[in-house]
Amino acid sequence: MTVPPAGEGTDGSWSAGDSDHDSPVLSALLEDSAEDLYENAPCAYLSTLMDGRIAKANGTLLKWLGYRREELVGHKHFSDLLTVGGRLYHETHFAPLLRIQGEVNGVALELKASDGTRLPVLVTSTVKRDADGQPILIRTTLLDARDRRTYERELLRARRDAEHDRERLQRLATTLQRTLLPPAIEPVPGMEAAAHYHFASSDEVGGDFYDLFPLAAGGWGFFMGDVRGKGADAAVVTSLARYTLRAAAVSDPVPVRVLANLNTALNHQVQEDDPLFCTVIFGLLTPAENDIGFHVVLAGGGHPPAVLLRADGSADYLNTPGGQLVGVVPDAHFTTLTLDLRPGDTLLLYTDGLTEARTGDPGERYGDEALLDFVRSLAPVSASEAVRALTALLDSFGEGLDDDAALLAMSVPPR
């Protein structure tokens, strides 16, 4: 037979006589009567008749409110202990619901003490019934909610502070994003141009960028790019890429050399644990003979291909095969493609936020083929009309558009 440890009975319960050290404490516990437990419970107990008149109250409630027992029992109703707002809620909601359900749990009310102070409590009431099922008594438990109320106030204050910080972050992100994009597309003589930027998040700075700007001898440069990632790090790369492209185009406007200069700049900023890279498509516009249309030279650096919408109603991708991501390797290879923009033609550049938008089907993306079908349905179309239609397409994705998306279109008006 195994002998239990001192103070522990064979059934696992403690015995007052098993240990001299524990005996006084355990004896005190065992001497607690049900009435003493009721009177000095850590919560308040209250029993009322069905009309709300107080029939019984424990000492905890009397201590909380500062009343003598004879002042409450038989003289006051439960609603008399509530604040004005609490009485109104009790009469219009609490009491009717209690009569219907027979029980109401965890309702937040405020008691009014004898000195006028308020005590927030959580109230639970149940209806006691006789053998015939008739209601005869309402038993109510009240939990002190002062600590809870303090916690809720602190939580509310923290939430307001967080909302304020978020608003500041949104304003900062919006301001920063605007500095990374041209405030407006500069007008190109003999050409119509339009652009649009869709922000996927108001809290984070996106990595998409574009520009259209004049160069010497009547030429114009343009680009569309997408930096890896979002936030402050992406903003640094976006700023570096945008200004490097503009500076490189001014000094040496050959598109492949412009991308090579950007590749060198990004490699000089390399971070082994977090490499800086982006996709870019850069183009050079030169007015054609007789100033009718433009000659275009495109260089691609891993960016989605541009789309040419022709005056005859056709549309196709302009592939720049072999173009590598910009900033990944020191000797990245970029390819060139040339074309002529004639009257009625439109050149469209975009970022992959458009083609990677989620559609209604789970796991389905919009895709390159769907985009080509869409623009073919538009051609021939002007730059502004194309951007307007594509903006409506972006809006139609709703929450499926979870990445930033940029659009830049350039068209030669029909003769």
Side-chain angles (χ1 to χ4, degrees), residues 205-255:
V205 181
D208 296 5
F209 59 94
Y210 61 85
D211 207 348
L212 174 61
F213 53 96
L215 296 171
W220 290 74
F222 64 89
F223 55 79
M224 173 74 71
D226 187 1
V227 172
R228 168 185 172 268
K230 292 181 180 295
D233 292 339
V236 171
V237 182
T238 300
S239 179
L240 175 62
R242 181 168 181 263
Y243 292 107
T244 300
L245 288 170
R246 288 187 66 119
V250 169
S251 62
D252 188 358
V254 177

Side-chain angles (χ1 to χ4, degrees), residues 56-314:
K56 189 175 182 180
N58 73 341
T60 302
L61 180 63
L62 300 176
K63 180 180 178 181
W64 284 357
L65 300 183
Y67 284 109
R68 298 191 307 275
R69 195 179 304 274
E70 56 270 20
E71 292 179 299
L72 297 184
V73 176
H75 292 87
K76 289 186 178 292
H77 292 70
F78 173 57
S79 59
D80 296 332
L81 306 181
L82 303 174
T83 60
V84 175
R87 283 200 297 271
L88 180 62
Y89 181 84
H90 181 270
E91 296 300 328
T92 58
H93 293 77
F94 191 96
L97 193 60
L98 183 61
R99 286 194 294 269
I100 295 172
Q101 295 184 168
E103 182 177 12
V104 177
N105 294 307
V107 175
L109 294 173
E110 280 191 330
L111 301 180
K112 185 172 64 176
S114 60
D115 60 1
T117 58
R118 297 184 174 191
L119 174 67
V121 292
L122 293 177
V123 181
T124 295
S125 294
T126 59
V127 175
K128 179 183 179 182
R129 302 180 182 274
D130 61 17
D132 297 327
Q134 296 300 313
I136 58 174
L137 200 67
I138 299 173
R139 289 172 172 169
T140 298
T141 302
L142 303 101
L143 301 177
D144 187 344
R146 283 174 292 190
D147 290 342
R148 177 190 175 100
R149 179 69 58 85
T150 301
Y151 167 76
E152 289 174 346
R153 287 172 179 167
E154 291 297 328
L155 184 63
L156 182 60
R157 184 181 299 108
R159 180 178 298 174
R160 285 197 297 263
D161 292 343
E163 290 174 352
H164 178 67
D165 290 343
R166 181 176 181 180
E167 290 174 358
R168 291 177 55 217
L169 178 62
Q170 289 176 345
R171 289 195 298 270
L172 177 61
T174 301
T175 302
L176 180 57
Q177 187 72 68
R178 286 174 179 168
T179 65
L180 301 176
L181 297 173
I185 295 296
E186 293 193 43
V188 180
M191 171 177 281
E192 178 184 326
H196 174 73
Y197 195 103
H198 173 85
F199 295 93
S201 171
S202 59
D203 297 333
E204 287 189 307
V205 181
D208 296 5
F209 59 94
Y210 61 85
D211 207 348
L212 174 61
F213 53 96
L215 296 171
W220 290 74
F222 64 89
F223 55 79
M224 173 74 71
D226 187 1
V227 172
R228 168 185 172 268
K230 292 181 180 295
D233 292 339
V236 171
V237 182
T238 300
S239 179
L240 175 62
R242 181 168 181 263
Y243 292 107
T244 300
L245 288 170
R246 288 187 66 119
V250 169
S251 62
D252 188 358
V254 177
V256 290
R257 290 205 284 267
V258 171
L259 293 187
N261 284 328
L262 174 59
N263 188 71
T264 301
L266 292 180
N267 273 275
H268 286 168
Q269 300 289 329
V270 68
Q271 301 177 25
E272 294 183 0
D273 58 336
D274 192 17
L276 309 178
F277 64 86
C278 59
T279 66
V280 181
I281 187 167
F282 181 90
L284 179 65
L285 292 171
T286 305
E289 293 181 3
N290 302 322
D291 291 333
I292 301 175
F294 290 84
H295 183 68
V296 183
V297 182
L298 282 178
H303 197 80
V307 183
L308 177 60
L309 294 79
R310 298 182 181 86
D312 62 7
S314 62

Side-chain angles (χ1 to χ4, degrees), residues 21 31-32 35 134 226 243 282 354:
H21 176 74
E31 287 174 1
D32 276 344
E35 184 63 25
Q134 296 300 313
D226 187 1
Y243 292 107
F282 181 90
L354 169 57

